[in-house]
Amino acid sequence: MTSRLEALCMEKGLKMTGQRRVISQVLSEADDHPDVEEVHRRAVQIDPRISIATVYRTMRLLEDAQVIERVDLGDGRARYEEATADHHHHLIDTRTGRIIEFASPELEAMKERIAHELGYKIVGHRLEIYGVPLDDAGDDAQDEEERP
Amino acid sequence: MTSRLEALCMEKGLKMTGQRRVISQVLSEADDHPDVEEVHRRAVQIDPRISIATVYRTMRLLEDAQVIERVDLGDGRARYEEATADHHHHLIDTRTGRIIEFASPELEAMKERIAHELGYKIVGHRLEIYGVPLDDAGDDAQDEEERP
DNA sequence: ATCATACTGAAAACCGTTCGCAATCCCAGA
DNA sequence: TCTGGGATTGCGAACGGTTTTCAGTATGAT
């Protein structure tokens, strides 16, 4: 069965090897933001003969083909998500590591305006919010020592 | 002569060694966002016997003491700036690498609101805008291939 | 001045990522 | 369907930024 991303790859004219098929499948099924190691872990479960180097190479390939997008969440390793048309950003739950995506047209407009005021045209941007759930934010939220 | 940051370090009760004094001086005089290697380069000019390991250690120390702040501009290495009371963000000129700081109370409020709507309390956040100058944005700005 | 303690330099270890190379695979063309 | 040759792979080595180890040194409280 050909996965969503595999179809996309073929559309883009990428040579479809067994490894790329497996990685595409893994990424199609992922609903989180896995890093390379995690993608490899999942890929190996489908076909044990996939090396981490190939995962690295394939992620870069898919990124260049704009099939996936790299997300730098400041934890020192690259994470990935499927490429989407709309710009969105991430709220990271510092307690659990959960990542919540959100979009805000107003925010986009405001950034656009700020850049313009500074004499610049935006070619890219990223916003990350680190937070703790409101309900249990009372205890150690104040001196939560994060190194984002 | 004791530099601004050196005074701050003493206030915080940090043991002031020769190396820390020099690094504090370098950071006090910096008006840009140097990475560790750059700080080391400048420090060595004042006292050649400072090792890069000490710079790494001192930067971490000063960061933990909230004397300086680490800025991750997505270029794979840590950059630093003096800690400030107000939250500000960075606009990076992708042509020249120039970094422009800016602050926007409205932006802060909007982020606060967004996080709140998602049920979160903000403990940290960062926004980076990558852009090109408006005046010469016409040529290759469209397909500027950045990997931020 | 003394001394325990914290700090330093140098080199090795680390971690995520990329590269070099020989072996292997994919697929356009026959 | 078979084949040839460029693209892709696995492995291990290399890489760049950062941290650590360890023996030697400097600091500042006494």
Side-chain angles (χ1 to χ4, degrees), chain A residues 56-92:
Chain A
Y56 272 108
R57 278 187 285 236
T58 304
M59 299 308 272
R60 180 194 266 273
L61 181 83
L62 297 185
E63 190 191 351
D64 289 347
Q66 312 199 54
V67 171
I68 59 176
E69 265 168 33
R70 178 195 299 240
V71 216
D72 174 2
L73 263 25
D75 59 354
R77 69 204 113 153
R79 295 170 166 280
Y80 293 89
E81 65 187 16
E82 275 188 56
T84 52
D86 66 308
H87 256 282
H88 67 263
H89 299 281
H90 302 93
L91 188 156
I92 297 104

PDB file of all heavy atoms in Angstrom, chain A residues 56-92:
ATOM      1  N   TYR A  56      18.853  10.017   7.762  1.00  0.00           N
ATOM      2  CA  TYR A  56      19.327  11.400   7.684  1.00  0.00           C
ATOM      3  C   TYR A  56      19.258  11.916   6.249  1.00  0.00           C
ATOM      4  O   TYR A  56      18.760  13.006   5.972  1.00  0.00           O
ATOM      5  CB  TYR A  56      20.772  11.500   8.181  1.00  0.00           C
ATOM      6  CG  TYR A  56      20.886  11.724   9.675  1.00  0.00           C
ATOM      7  CD1 TYR A  56      21.318  10.714  10.518  1.00  0.00           C
ATOM      8  CD2 TYR A  56      20.552  12.957  10.231  1.00  0.00           C
ATOM      9  CE1 TYR A  56      21.425  10.922  11.886  1.00  0.00           C
ATOM     10  CE2 TYR A  56      20.660  13.172  11.589  1.00  0.00           C
ATOM     11  CZ  TYR A  56      21.100  12.152  12.421  1.00  0.00           C
ATOM     12  OH  TYR A  56      21.201  12.367  13.765  1.00  0.00           O
ATOM     13  N   ARG A  57      19.767  11.099   5.331  1.00  0.00           N
ATOM     14  CA  ARG A  57      19.786  11.523   3.926  1.00  0.00           C
ATOM     15  C   ARG A  57      18.382  11.724   3.387  1.00  0.00           C
ATOM     16  O   ARG A  57      18.105  12.688   2.670  1.00  0.00           O
ATOM     17  CB  ARG A  57      20.553  10.495   3.087  1.00  0.00           C
ATOM     18  CG  ARG A  57      22.056  10.690   3.162  1.00  0.00           C
ATOM     19  CD  ARG A  57      22.785   9.779   2.190  1.00  0.00           C
ATOM     20  NE  ARG A  57      22.812   8.400   2.670  1.00  0.00           N
ATOM     21  CZ  ARG A  57      23.936   7.707   2.834  1.00  0.00           C
ATOM     22  NH1 ARG A  57      25.093   8.253   2.579  1.00  0.00           N
ATOM     23  NH2 ARG A  57      23.879   6.463   3.253  1.00  0.00           N
ATOM     24  N   THR A  58      17.484  10.817   3.752  1.00  0.00           N
ATOM     25  CA  THR A  58      16.121  10.893   3.226  1.00  0.00           C
ATOM     26  C   THR A  58      15.371  12.086   3.806  1.00  0.00           C
ATOM     27  O   THR A  58      14.623  12.763   3.096  1.00  0.00           O
ATOM     28  CB  THR A  58      15.369   9.588   3.521  1.00  0.00           C
ATOM     29  OG1 THR A  58      16.119   8.510   2.980  1.00  0.00           O
ATOM     30  CG2 THR A  58      13.991   9.604   2.894  1.00  0.00           C
ATOM     31  N   MET A  59      15.590  12.366   5.076  1.00  0.00           N
ATOM     32  CA  MET A  59      14.932  13.513   5.683  1.00  0.00           C
ATOM     33  C   MET A  59      15.350  14.794   4.973  1.00  0.00           C
ATOM     34  O   MET A  59      14.533  15.658   4.684  1.00  0.00           O
ATOM     35  CB  MET A  59      15.270  13.616   7.174  1.00  0.00           C
ATOM     36  CG  MET A  59      14.843  12.420   8.004  1.00  0.00           C
ATOM     37  SD  MET A  59      13.118  11.957   7.792  1.00  0.00           S
ATOM     38  CE  MET A  59      12.338  12.992   9.016  1.00  0.00           C
ATOM     39  N   ARG A  60      16.611  14.881   4.678  1.00  0.00           N
ATOM     40  CA  ARG A  60      17.087  16.072   3.988  1.00  0.00           C
ATOM     41  C   ARG A  60      16.479  16.161   2.590  1.00  0.00           C
ATOM     42  O   ARG A  60      16.054  17.226   2.137  1.00  0.00           O
ATOM     43  CB  ARG A  60      18.611  16.046   3.883  1.00  0.00           C
ATOM     44  CG  ARG A  60      19.165  17.270   3.167  1.00  0.00           C
ATOM     45  CD  ARG A  60      20.611  17.075   2.770  1.00  0.00           C
ATOM     46  NE  ARG A  60      21.536  17.611   3.766  1.00  0.00           N
ATOM     47  CZ  ARG A  60      21.940  18.896   3.776  1.00  0.00           C
ATOM     48  NH1 ARG A  60      21.462  19.746   2.886  1.00  0.00           N
ATOM     49  NH2 ARG A  60      22.796  19.315   4.676  1.00  0.00           N
ATOM     50  N   LEU A  61      16.436  15.015   1.940  1.00  0.00           N
ATOM     51  CA  LEU A  61      15.844  14.950   0.599  1.00  0.00           C
ATOM     52  C   LEU A  61      14.394  15.411   0.620  1.00  0.00           C
ATOM     53  O   LEU A  61      13.971  16.257  -0.171  1.00  0.00           O
ATOM     54  CB  LEU A  61      15.911  13.510   0.085  1.00  0.00           C
ATOM     55  CG  LEU A  61      15.357  13.262  -1.310  1.00  0.00           C
ATOM     56  CD1 LEU A  61      16.391  13.595  -2.364  1.00  0.00           C
ATOM     57  CD2 LEU A  61      14.892  11.816  -1.455  1.00  0.00           C
ATOM     58  N   LEU A  62      13.635  14.871   1.553  1.00  0.00           N
ATOM     59  CA  LEU A  62      12.220  15.210   1.652  1.00  0.00           C
ATOM     60  C   LEU A  62      12.035  16.667   2.059  1.00  0.00           C
ATOM     61  O   LEU A  62      11.079  17.318   1.647  1.00  0.00           O
ATOM     62  CB  LEU A  62      11.521  14.298   2.661  1.00  0.00           C
ATOM     63  CG  LEU A  62      11.513  12.807   2.307  1.00  0.00           C
ATOM     64  CD1 LEU A  62      10.699  12.019   3.314  1.00  0.00           C
ATOM     65  CD2 LEU A  62      10.973  12.577   0.909  1.00  0.00           C
ATOM     66  N   GLU A  63      12.960  17.147   2.853  1.00  0.00           N
ATOM     67  CA  GLU A  63      12.881  18.547   3.243  1.00  0.00           C
ATOM     68  C   GLU A  63      13.128  19.440   2.022  1.00  0.00           C
ATOM     69  O   GLU A  63      12.388  20.389   1.779  1.00  0.00           O
ATOM     70  CB  GLU A  63      13.916  18.842   4.328  1.00  0.00           C
ATOM     71  CG  GLU A  63      13.740  20.206   4.966  1.00  0.00           C
ATOM     72  CD  GLU A  63      14.930  20.580   5.831  1.00  0.00           C
ATOM     73  OE1 GLU A  63      15.800  19.725   6.064  1.00  0.00           O
ATOM     74  OE2 GLU A  63      14.981  21.751   6.256  1.00  0.00           O
ATOM     75  N   ASP A  64      14.167  19.097   1.271  1.00  0.00           N
ATOM     76  CA  ASP A  64      14.474  19.886   0.077  1.00  0.00           C
ATOM     77  C   ASP A  64      13.329  19.833  -0.937  1.00  0.00           C
ATOM     78  O   ASP A  64      13.077  20.795  -1.656  1.00  0.00           O
ATOM     79  CB  ASP A  64      15.778  19.385  -0.568  1.00  0.00           C
ATOM     80  CG  ASP A  64      16.987  19.746   0.282  1.00  0.00           C
ATOM     81  OD1 ASP A  64      16.842  20.574   1.205  1.00  0.00           O
ATOM     82  OD2 ASP A  64      18.070  19.198   0.026  1.00  0.00           O
ATOM     83  N   ALA A  65      12.648  18.694  -0.979  1.00  0.00           N
ATOM     84  CA  ALA A  65      11.527  18.541  -1.909  1.00  0.00           C
ATOM     85  C   ALA A  65      10.259  19.147  -1.327  1.00  0.00           C
ATOM     86  O   ALA A  65       9.187  19.071  -1.920  1.00  0.00           O
ATOM     87  CB  ALA A  65      11.318  17.062  -2.224  1.00  0.00           C
ATOM     88  N   GLN A  66      10.384  19.708  -0.142  1.00  0.00           N
ATOM     89  CA  GLN A  66       9.257  20.349   0.540  1.00  0.00           C
ATOM     90  C   GLN A  66       8.112  19.398   0.829  1.00  0.00           C
ATOM     91  O   GLN A  66       6.946  19.783   0.774  1.00  0.00           O
ATOM     92  CB  GLN A  66       8.760  21.538  -0.267  1.00  0.00           C
ATOM     93  CG  GLN A  66       9.916  22.444  -0.700  1.00  0.00           C
ATOM     94  CD  GLN A  66       9.457  23.825  -1.074  1.00  0.00           C
ATOM     95  OE1 GLN A  66       8.791  24.498  -0.297  1.00  0.00           O
ATOM     96  NE2 GLN A  66       9.829  24.256  -2.267  1.00  0.00           N
ATOM     97  N   VAL A  67       8.471  18.162   1.090  1.00  0.00           N
ATOM     98  CA  VAL A  67       7.472  17.164   1.458  1.00  0.00           C
ATOM     99  C   VAL A  67       7.294  17.203   2.975  1.00  0.00           C
ATOM    100  O   VAL A  67       6.211  17.001   3.502  1.00  0.00           O
ATOM    101  CB  VAL A  67       7.924  15.759   1.008  1.00  0.00           C
ATOM    102  CG1 VAL A  67       7.016  14.682   1.568  1.00  0.00           C
ATOM    103  CG2 VAL A  67       7.973  15.694  -0.512  1.00  0.00           C
ATOM    104  N   ILE A  68       8.393  17.458   3.677  1.00  0.00           N
ATOM    105  CA  ILE A  68       8.341  17.619   5.133  1.00  0.00           C
ATOM    106  C   ILE A  68       9.019  18.929   5.501  1.00  0.00           C
ATOM    107  O   ILE A  68       9.675  19.551   4.664  1.00  0.00           O
ATOM    108  CB  ILE A  68       9.046  16.463   5.869  1.00  0.00           C
ATOM    109  CG1 ILE A  68      10.508  16.378   5.435  1.00  0.00           C
ATOM    110  CG2 ILE A  68       8.321  15.155   5.614  1.00  0.00           C
ATOM    111  CD1 ILE A  68      11.291  15.329   6.176  1.00  0.00           C
ATOM    112  N   GLU A  69       8.849  19.318   6.757  1.00  0.00           N
ATOM    113  CA  GLU A  69       9.473  20.543   7.229  1.00  0.00           C
ATOM    114  C   GLU A  69      10.250  20.264   8.506  1.00  0.00           C
ATOM    115  O   GLU A  69       9.790  19.558   9.384  1.00  0.00           O
ATOM    116  CB  GLU A  69       8.403  21.604   7.516  1.00  0.00           C
ATOM    117  CG  GLU A  69       8.187  22.544   6.354  1.00  0.00           C
ATOM    118  CD  GLU A  69       6.941  23.390   6.545  1.00  0.00           C
ATOM    119  OE1 GLU A  69       6.626  23.725   7.705  1.00  0.00           O
ATOM    120  OE2 GLU A  69       6.279  23.697   5.533  1.00  0.00           O
ATOM    121  N   ARG A  70      11.420  20.850   8.550  1.00  0.00           N
ATOM    122  CA  ARG A  70      12.244  20.724   9.732  1.00  0.00           C
ATOM    123  C   ARG A  70      11.738  21.711  10.787  1.00  0.00           C
ATOM    124  O   ARG A  70      11.397  22.843  10.466  1.00  0.00           O
ATOM    125  CB  ARG A  70      13.690  21.066   9.369  1.00  0.00           C
ATOM    126  CG  ARG A  70      14.666  21.018  10.528  1.00  0.00           C
ATOM    127  CD  ARG A  70      15.961  21.723  10.152  1.00  0.00           C
ATOM    128  NE  ARG A  70      16.583  21.069   9.005  1.00  0.00           N
ATOM    129  CZ  ARG A  70      17.790  20.526   9.039  1.00  0.00           C
ATOM    130  NH1 ARG A  70      18.492  20.567  10.145  1.00  0.00           N
ATOM    131  NH2 ARG A  70      18.299  19.968   7.966  1.00  0.00           N
ATOM    132  N   VAL A  71      11.665  21.264  12.021  1.00  0.00           N
ATOM    133  CA  VAL A  71      11.279  22.163  13.099  1.00  0.00           C
ATOM    134  C   VAL A  71      12.390  22.133  14.131  1.00  0.00           C
ATOM    135  O   VAL A  71      12.762  21.074  14.604  1.00  0.00           O
ATOM    136  CB  VAL A  71       9.980  21.691  13.793  1.00  0.00           C
ATOM    137  CG1 VAL A  71       9.147  22.872  14.212  1.00  0.00           C
ATOM    138  CG2 VAL A  71       9.181  20.749  12.930  1.00  0.00           C
ATOM    139  N   ASP A  72      12.903  23.308  14.436  1.00  0.00           N
ATOM    140  CA  ASP A  72      13.944  23.387  15.451  1.00  0.00           C
ATOM    141  C   ASP A  72      13.295  23.841  16.741  1.00  0.00           C
ATOM    142  O   ASP A  72      12.939  25.002  16.897  1.00  0.00           O
ATOM    143  CB  ASP A  72      15.019  24.363  15.002  1.00  0.00           C
ATOM    144  CG  ASP A  72      16.057  24.591  16.086  1.00  0.00           C
ATOM    145  OD1 ASP A  72      15.949  23.962  17.164  1.00  0.00           O
ATOM    146  OD2 ASP A  72      16.983  25.389  15.861  1.00  0.00           O
ATOM    147  N   LEU A  73      13.141  22.929  17.670  1.00  0.00           N
ATOM    148  CA  LEU A  73      12.468  23.260  18.918  1.00  0.00           C
ATOM    149  C   LEU A  73      13.458  23.596  20.018  1.00  0.00           C
ATOM    150  O   LEU A  73      13.109  23.653  21.190  1.00  0.00           O
ATOM    151  CB  LEU A  73      11.558  22.101  19.339  1.00  0.00           C
ATOM    152  CG  LEU A  73      10.074  22.254  18.946  1.00  0.00           C
ATOM    153  CD1 LEU A  73       9.883  23.161  17.759  1.00  0.00           C
ATOM    154  CD2 LEU A  73       9.430  20.923  18.702  1.00  0.00           C
ATOM    155  N   GLY A  74      14.701  23.793  19.625  1.00  0.00           N
ATOM    156  CA  GLY A  74      15.697  24.244  20.559  1.00  0.00           C
ATOM    157  C   GLY A  74      16.233  23.168  21.487  1.00  0.00           C
ATOM    158  O   GLY A  74      16.904  23.461  22.456  1.00  0.00           O
ATOM    159  N   ASP A  75      15.955  21.903  21.172  1.00  0.00           N
ATOM    160  CA  ASP A  75      16.473  20.854  22.031  1.00  0.00           C
ATOM    161  C   ASP A  75      17.683  20.173  21.407  1.00  0.00           C
ATOM    162  O   ASP A  75      18.032  19.057  21.760  1.00  0.00           O
ATOM    163  CB  ASP A  75      15.377  19.838  22.363  1.00  0.00           C
ATOM    164  CG  ASP A  75      14.800  19.202  21.108  1.00  0.00           C
ATOM    165  OD1 ASP A  75      15.171  19.641  19.997  1.00  0.00           O
ATOM    166  OD2 ASP A  75      13.999  18.271  21.228  1.00  0.00           O
ATOM    167  N   GLY A  76      18.298  20.837  20.456  1.00  0.00           N
ATOM    168  CA  GLY A  76      19.542  20.333  19.918  1.00  0.00           C
ATOM    169  C   GLY A  76      19.445  19.307  18.807  1.00  0.00           C
ATOM    170  O   GLY A  76      20.447  18.887  18.263  1.00  0.00           O
ATOM    171  N   ARG A  77      18.229  18.861  18.501  1.00  0.00           N
ATOM    172  CA  ARG A  77      18.143  17.939  17.372  1.00  0.00           C
ATOM    173  C   ARG A  77      16.983  18.357  16.487  1.00  0.00           C
ATOM    174  O   ARG A  77      16.054  19.029  16.934  1.00  0.00           O
ATOM    175  CB  ARG A  77      17.962  16.497  17.851  1.00  0.00           C
ATOM    176  CG  ARG A  77      16.628  16.229  18.492  1.00  0.00           C
ATOM    177  CD  ARG A  77      16.739  15.043  19.412  1.00  0.00           C
ATOM    178  NE  ARG A  77      16.547  15.511  20.775  1.00  0.00           N
ATOM    179  CZ  ARG A  77      16.073  14.734  21.737  1.00  0.00           C
ATOM    180  NH1 ARG A  77      15.826  13.480  21.523  1.00  0.00           N
ATOM    181  NH2 ARG A  77      15.883  15.229  22.934  1.00  0.00           N
ATOM    182  N   ALA A  78      17.063  17.969  15.227  1.00  0.00           N
ATOM    183  CA  ALA A  78      16.040  18.379  14.269  1.00  0.00           C
ATOM    184  C   ALA A  78      14.805  17.505  14.414  1.00  0.00           C
ATOM    185  O   ALA A  78      14.899  16.289  14.549  1.00  0.00           O
ATOM    186  CB  ALA A  78      16.599  18.278  12.857  1.00  0.00           C
ATOM    187  N   ARG A  79      13.658  18.129  14.385  1.00  0.00           N
ATOM    188  CA  ARG A  79      12.394  17.398  14.406  1.00  0.00           C
ATOM    189  C   ARG A  79      11.688  17.693  13.104  1.00  0.00           C
ATOM    190  O   ARG A  79      11.986  18.671  12.427  1.00  0.00           O
ATOM    191  CB  ARG A  79      11.540  17.854  15.585  1.00  0.00           C
ATOM    192  CG  ARG A  79      12.187  17.499  16.911  1.00  0.00           C
ATOM    193  CD  ARG A  79      11.503  18.146  18.066  1.00  0.00           C
ATOM    194  NE  ARG A  79      11.935  17.531  19.303  1.00  0.00           N
ATOM    195  CZ  ARG A  79      11.448  16.378  19.744  1.00  0.00           C
ATOM    196  NH1 ARG A  79      10.503  15.746  19.064  1.00  0.00           N
ATOM    197  NH2 ARG A  79      11.892  15.849  20.865  1.00  0.00           N
ATOM    198  N   TYR A  80      10.741  16.822  12.761  1.00  0.00           N
ATOM    199  CA  TYR A  80      10.100  16.987  11.460  1.00  0.00           C
ATOM    200  C   TYR A  80       8.587  16.860  11.538  1.00  0.00           C
ATOM    201  O   TYR A  80       8.050  16.183  12.413  1.00  0.00           O
ATOM    202  CB  TYR A  80      10.650  15.957  10.477  1.00  0.00           C
ATOM    203  CG  TYR A  80      12.102  16.199  10.147  1.00  0.00           C
ATOM    204  CD1 TYR A  80      13.110  15.629  10.928  1.00  0.00           C
ATOM    205  CD2 TYR A  80      12.468  17.018   9.084  1.00  0.00           C
ATOM    206  CE1 TYR A  80      14.457  15.873  10.647  1.00  0.00           C
ATOM    207  CE2 TYR A  80      13.803  17.265   8.794  1.00  0.00           C
ATOM    208  CZ  TYR A  80      14.797  16.687   9.578  1.00  0.00           C
ATOM    209  OH  TYR A  80      16.113  16.933   9.296  1.00  0.00           O
ATOM    210  N   GLU A  81       7.939  17.509  10.588  1.00  0.00           N
ATOM    211  CA  GLU A  81       6.497  17.389  10.449  1.00  0.00           C
ATOM    212  C   GLU A  81       6.185  17.457   8.958  1.00  0.00           C
ATOM    213  O   GLU A  81       7.012  17.899   8.167  1.00  0.00           O
ATOM    214  CB  GLU A  81       5.798  18.530  11.195  1.00  0.00           C
ATOM    215  CG  GLU A  81       6.108  19.901  10.597  1.00  0.00           C
ATOM    216  CD  GLU A  81       5.550  21.054  11.442  1.00  0.00           C
ATOM    217  OE1 GLU A  81       5.208  20.833  12.610  1.00  0.00           O
ATOM    218  OE2 GLU A  81       5.479  22.168  10.903  1.00  0.00           O
ATOM    219  N   GLU A  82       5.021  16.981   8.576  1.00  0.00           N
ATOM    220  CA  GLU A  82       4.634  17.065   7.180  1.00  0.00           C
ATOM    221  C   GLU A  82       4.517  18.528   6.783  1.00  0.00           C
ATOM    222  O   GLU A  82       4.074  19.356   7.580  1.00  0.00           O
ATOM    223  CB  GLU A  82       3.289  16.361   6.961  1.00  0.00           C
ATOM    224  CG  GLU A  82       3.443  14.876   6.739  1.00  0.00           C
ATOM    225  CD  GLU A  82       2.125  14.229   6.330  1.00  0.00           C
ATOM    226  OE1 GLU A  82       1.536  14.672   5.332  1.00  0.00           O
ATOM    227  OE2 GLU A  82       1.692  13.297   7.021  1.00  0.00           O
ATOM    228  N   ALA A  83       4.895  18.845   5.580  1.00  0.00           N
ATOM    229  CA  ALA A  83       4.786  20.221   5.110  1.00  0.00           C
ATOM    230  C   ALA A  83       3.319  20.591   4.962  1.00  0.00           C
ATOM    231  O   ALA A  83       2.506  19.785   4.523  1.00  0.00           O
ATOM    232  CB  ALA A  83       5.500  20.364   3.776  1.00  0.00           C
ATOM    233  N   THR A  84       2.998  21.803   5.400  1.00  0.00           N
ATOM    234  CA  THR A  84       1.622  22.273   5.259  1.00  0.00           C
ATOM    235  C   THR A  84       1.632  23.616   4.550  1.00  0.00           C
ATOM    236  O   THR A  84       2.644  24.314   4.541  1.00  0.00           O
ATOM    237  CB  THR A  84       0.961  22.455   6.635  1.00  0.00           C
ATOM    238  OG1 THR A  84       1.805  23.276   7.440  1.00  0.00           O
ATOM    239  CG2 THR A  84       0.747  21.129   7.322  1.00  0.00           C
ATOM    240  N   ALA A  85       0.514  23.979   3.999  1.00  0.00           N
ATOM    241  CA  ALA A  85       0.416  25.249   3.273  1.00  0.00           C
ATOM    242  C   ALA A  85       0.433  26.419   4.255  1.00  0.00           C
ATOM    243  O   ALA A  85       1.082  27.432   4.022  1.00  0.00           O
ATOM    244  CB  ALA A  85      -0.851  25.270   2.435  1.00  0.00           C
ATOM    245  N   ASP A  86      -0.265  26.274   5.349  1.00  0.00           N
ATOM    246  CA  ASP A  86      -0.399  27.379   6.289  1.00  0.00           C
ATOM    247  C   ASP A  86       0.769  27.450   7.273  1.00  0.00           C
ATOM    248  O   ASP A  86       1.314  26.439   7.695  1.00  0.00           O
ATOM    249  CB  ASP A  86      -1.694  27.213   7.080  1.00  0.00           C
ATOM    250  CG  ASP A  86      -1.621  25.975   7.965  1.00  0.00           C
ATOM    251  OD1 ASP A  86      -1.294  24.908   7.419  1.00  0.00           O
ATOM    252  OD2 ASP A  86      -1.871  26.091   9.178  1.00  0.00           O
ATOM    253  N   HIS A  87       1.114  28.669   7.609  1.00  0.00           N
ATOM    254  CA  HIS A  87       2.158  28.881   8.599  1.00  0.00           C
ATOM    255  C   HIS A  87       1.594  28.614   9.983  1.00  0.00           C
ATOM    256  O   HIS A  87       0.563  29.170  10.350  1.00  0.00           O
ATOM    257  CB  HIS A  87       2.645  30.327   8.540  1.00  0.00           C
ATOM    258  CG  HIS A  87       3.948  30.430   7.862  1.00  0.00           C
ATOM    259  ND1 HIS A  87       5.131  30.117   8.465  1.00  0.00           N
ATOM    260  CD2 HIS A  87       4.265  30.758   6.597  1.00  0.00           C
ATOM    261  CE1 HIS A  87       6.116  30.279   7.611  1.00  0.00           C
ATOM    262  NE2 HIS A  87       5.620  30.673   6.458  1.00  0.00           N
ATOM    263  N   HIS A  88       2.247  27.790  10.728  1.00  0.00           N
ATOM    264  CA  HIS A  88       1.791  27.608  12.099  1.00  0.00           C
ATOM    265  C   HIS A  88       3.012  27.573  13.008  1.00  0.00           C
ATOM    266  O   HIS A  88       4.145  27.540  12.549  1.00  0.00           O
ATOM    267  CB  HIS A  88       0.980  26.320  12.224  1.00  0.00           C
ATOM    268  CG  HIS A  88       1.783  25.090  12.018  1.00  0.00           C
ATOM    269  ND1 HIS A  88       1.838  24.421  10.822  1.00  0.00           N
ATOM    270  CD2 HIS A  88       2.589  24.397  12.855  1.00  0.00           C
ATOM    271  CE1 HIS A  88       2.637  23.383  10.938  1.00  0.00           C
ATOM    272  NE2 HIS A  88       3.111  23.341  12.157  1.00  0.00           N
ATOM    273  N   HIS A  89       2.751  27.605  14.291  1.00  0.00           N
ATOM    274  CA  HIS A  89       3.851  27.634  15.236  1.00  0.00           C
ATOM    275  C   HIS A  89       3.617  26.597  16.316  1.00  0.00           C
ATOM    276  O   HIS A  89       2.666  25.837  16.249  1.00  0.00           O
ATOM    277  CB  HIS A  89       4.016  29.051  15.783  1.00  0.00           C
ATOM    278  CG  HIS A  89       4.337  30.013  14.695  1.00  0.00           C
ATOM    279  ND1 HIS A  89       5.594  30.138  14.170  1.00  0.00           N
ATOM    280  CD2 HIS A  89       3.552  30.870  13.984  1.00  0.00           C
ATOM    281  CE1 HIS A  89       5.573  31.032  13.194  1.00  0.00           C
ATOM    282  NE2 HIS A  89       4.343  31.492  13.061  1.00  0.00           N
ATOM    283  N   HIS A  90       4.505  26.569  17.310  1.00  0.00           N
ATOM    284  CA  HIS A  90       4.430  25.508  18.299  1.00  0.00           C
ATOM    285  C   HIS A  90       4.440  26.016  19.724  1.00  0.00           C
ATOM    286  O   HIS A  90       5.198  26.902  20.060  1.00  0.00           O
ATOM    287  CB  HIS A  90       5.577  24.527  18.087  1.00  0.00           C
ATOM    288  CG  HIS A  90       5.576  23.921  16.719  1.00  0.00           C
ATOM    289  ND1 HIS A  90       6.292  24.450  15.678  1.00  0.00           N
ATOM    290  CD2 HIS A  90       4.915  22.849  16.212  1.00  0.00           C
ATOM    291  CE1 HIS A  90       6.087  23.725  14.586  1.00  0.00           C
ATOM    292  NE2 HIS A  90       5.258  22.744  14.879  1.00  0.00           N
ATOM    293  N   LEU A  91       3.590  25.410  20.501  1.00  0.00           N
ATOM    294  CA  LEU A  91       3.603  25.663  21.931  1.00  0.00           C
ATOM    295  C   LEU A  91       4.084  24.374  22.573  1.00  0.00           C
ATOM    296  O   LEU A  91       3.505  23.311  22.354  1.00  0.00           O
ATOM    297  CB  LEU A  91       2.201  26.025  22.432  1.00  0.00           C
ATOM    298  CG  LEU A  91       2.104  26.502  23.877  1.00  0.00           C
ATOM    299  CD1 LEU A  91       0.844  27.352  24.053  1.00  0.00           C
ATOM    300  CD2 LEU A  91       2.050  25.346  24.869  1.00  0.00           C
ATOM    301  N   ILE A  92       5.173  24.468  23.304  1.00  0.00           N
ATOM    302  CA  ILE A  92       5.750  23.267  23.906  1.00  0.00           C
ATOM    303  C   ILE A  92       5.419  23.222  25.395  1.00  0.00           C
ATOM    304  O   ILE A  92       5.739  24.138  26.140  1.00  0.00           O
ATOM    305  CB  ILE A  92       7.285  23.239  23.716  1.00  0.00           C
ATOM    306  CG1 ILE A  92       7.611  23.174  22.228  1.00  0.00           C
ATOM    307  CG2 ILE A  92       7.875  22.033  24.431  1.00  0.00           C
ATOM    308  CD1 ILE A  92       8.073  24.468  21.642  1.00  0.00           C
TER     309      ILE A  92
END
